[in-house]
Amino acid sequence: MTELTLDEIKDTLETAAYVERLMPPVRPPKYRSCIPEIIYTPQELAFMDRRLVRPRPTQAQVGLWEMVVLEWLPLLTPYEHNLVWKRANRLPWKLLCRELGRTRVHLWRIYDRALMKIQMKQKSKKCCQHKKT
């Protein structure tokens, strides 16, 4: 197995952020209604406006999202976690500088260090798996 590069980690984080946007929102359960459902004629259905069907994430994408959220992000400090997730959502550095009150170079160093933490964790995890077999 080859180890993950920083670019692969960035791509994985961006994919996880995209998958999170595709996930359906969490809603409380609805009450049941005793009113019978309306049955429409085919002509009425033809004249109705069709709602667009939102794409749903695949099982592989959801598995990737779970790995990022449950394994990678807990390794980081809350500040690094916030920065990495906002960069995964492609928030520009300029807005991050204003929001977090740091210079671009300082934020870039924190971001790079956080990605290296993830890379080291993956490397040690693969190393341990290799020793077990």
Side-chain angles (χ1 to χ4, degrees):
M1 285 191 194
T2 61
E3 64 183 57
L4 287 174
T5 63
L6 292 181
D7 289 333
E8 291 172 344
I9 292 172
K10 288 178 191 177
D11 291 341
T12 305
L13 287 166
E14 286 181 7
T15 304
Y18 173 72
V19 169
E20 185 162 333
R21 287 192 299 270
L22 290 180
M23 298 266 228
V26 178
R27 295 184 182 144
K30 295 182 179 180
Y31 290 104
R32 287 190 61 182
S33 176
C34 295
I35 300 174
E37 290 189 29
I38 300 171
I39 300 172
Y40 295 104
T41 64
Q43 185 179 11
E44 289 173 327
L45 289 172
F47 286 114
M48 286 185 184
D49 291 332
R50 299 247 189 258
R51 286 189 290 171
L52 295 175
V53 178
R54 290 184 56 190
R56 297 286 180 181
T58 63
Q59 283 185 339
Q61 289 175 325
V62 172
L64 186 87
W65 175 80
E66 284 179 347
M67 180 187 68
V68 167
V69 171
L70 298 176
E71 293 179 18
W72 291 6
L73 295 181
L75 299 172
L76 309 175
T77 65
Y79 190 81
E80 291 171 338
H81 175 281
N82 190 15
L83 176 64
V84 166
W85 196 247
K86 286 184 179 186
R87 277 305 297 162
N89 282 303
R90 297 185 179 179
L91 204 67
W93 286 109
K94 194 170 191 175
L95 291 177
L96 286 172
C97 291
R98 284 188 201 141
E99 186 177 326
L100 301 174
R102 303 280 177 115
T103 64
R104 184 178 300 179
V105 173
H106 188 77
L107 288 180
W108 180 80
R109 286 180 184 154
I110 294 170
Y111 178 69
D112 206 35
R113 194 177 311 132
L115 293 181
M116 284 183 196
K117 277 185 187 178
I118 294 170
Q119 187 181 29
M120 288 301 176
K121 173 65 177 177
Q122 287 300 107
K123 188 185 290 186
S124 67
K125 183 178 174 183
K126 287 180 183 176
C127 191
C128 292
Q129 287 176 351
H130 182 63
K131 288 180 182 178
K132 288 180 183 178
T133 58

